[in-house]
């Protein structure tokens, strides 16, 4: 098996984790492109370990998880499960669970559901958590039919509606 496609994909992923994007939209677009370019063949454990990098690079891991989920590479699941159990950051837990769910992992769906119920109850550890985090996850990671059904229900249960206002320039004449 030719591993050169894997090496190229790994370099592309590293580039995304090291780049500073002007917007979140550009960041997620780059991850989607990297996911489309992933080879069909399974990544080796050693390749995944290399991509995981050092423990303090938690947001780099999130990027890897999202790309692998969008590329339908289930071999990343053991690393996701481990990370979900070790990170203390709610936003990273949510995005990791969404990536797991995108790969069909029921634990990911259940984690998102539990987090949402805790958010609605206003549990103390989620005091600074914003519903926009859920919106982003369902728009960018968990875009399958079940995910879209979940976010529609979450919006209704949280009574969350986005209102767009057009900013009109004052007439200075």
């Amino acid at each position: 098996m030719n591993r050169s496609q894997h090496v190229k994909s790994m370099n592309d992923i590293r580039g995304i984790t090291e780049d500073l994007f002007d917007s979140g939209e550009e960041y997620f677009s780059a991850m989607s492109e990297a996911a489309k370019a992933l080879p069909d063949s399974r990544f080796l454990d050693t390749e995944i370990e290399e991509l995981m990098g050092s423990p303090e690079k938690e947001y780099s891991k999130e990027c890897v998880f999202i790309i692998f989920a969008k590329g339908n590479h289930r071999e990343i699941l053991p690393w996701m499960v481990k990370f979900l159990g070790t990170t203390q950051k709610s936003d990273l837990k949510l995005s990791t669970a969404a990536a797991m769910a995108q790969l069909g992992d029921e634990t990911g769906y259940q984690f998102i559901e539990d987090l949402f119920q805790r958010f609605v109850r206003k549990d103390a550890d989620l005091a600074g958590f914003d519903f926009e985090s859920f919106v982003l996850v369902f728009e960018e990671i968990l875009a399958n039919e079940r995910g879209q059904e979940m976010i529609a229900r979450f919006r209704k249960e949280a009574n969350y509606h986005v209102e767009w206002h057009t900013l009109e320039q004052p007439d200075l004449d």
Side-chain angles (χ1 to χ4, degrees):
M1 180 183 325
N2 185 349
R3 304 304 303 171
S4 64
Q5 286 181 311
H6 286 231
V7 171
K8 182 187 178 325
S9 289
M10 291 169 63
N11 288 333
D12 291 346
I13 293 169
R14 275 191 218 94
I16 294 169
T17 64
E18 295 168 2
D19 201 353
L20 295 176
F21 291 89
D22 291 334
S23 70
E25 186 177 317
E26 284 182 13
Y27 180 59
F28 281 102
S29 177
M31 285 192 284
S32 293
E33 289 302 313
K36 288 177 190 171
L38 289 176
D40 291 334
S41 58
R42 181 180 172 88
F43 280 78
L44 300 173
D45 289 355
T46 54
E47 292 170 327
I48 296 172
E49 281 295 331
E50 188 178 324
L51 282 172
M52 290 294 99
S54 59
E56 64 274 0
K57 292 189 173 189
E58 289 190 314
Y59 286 95
S60 293
K61 289 173 179 44
E62 174 192 44
C63 177
V64 174
F65 296 155
I66 293 169
I67 292 169
F68 271 64
K70 287 182 172 218
N72 200 31
H73 275 267
R74 295 182 54 81
E75 66 269 26
I76 194 80
L77 275 170
W79 284 268
M80 291 175 165
V81 170
K82 180 180 176 185
F83 184 76
L84 186 64
T86 59
T87 187
Q88 298 302 309
K89 297 179 176 113
S90 295
D91 60 334
L92 289 176
K93 285 182 175 281
L94 178 60
S95 60
T96 300
M100 292 168 64
Q102 183 65 26
L103 290 171
D105 184 275
E106 202 57 41
T107 305
Y109 284 111
Q110 190 58 54
F111 181 88
I112 295 167
E113 183 69 42
D114 292 346
L115 185 69
F116 176 72
Q117 294 307 322
R118 290 178 38 233
F119 172 78
V120 170
R121 284 193 312 261
K122 297 183 182 356
D123 285 5
D125 63 327
L126 294 175
F129 200 76
D130 186 353
F131 191 83
E132 286 294 325
S133 298
F134 286 106
V135 173
L136 178 67
V137 157
F138 285 97
E139 286 179 354
E140 297 294 345
I141 305 170
L142 188 51
N144 62 24
E145 186 177 343
R146 183 173 173 188
Q148 294 313 295
E149 289 170 0
M150 284 179 81
I151 190 61
R153 181 173 52 82
F154 287 0
R155 283 177 187 267
K156 185 176 179 181
E157 288 179 26
N159 195 24
Y160 178 85
H161 304 283
V162 176
E163 289 185 32
W164 295 98
H165 299 281
T166 304
L167 179 62
E168 294 181 22
Q169 296 296 325
D171 186 9
L172 300 175
D173 290 337

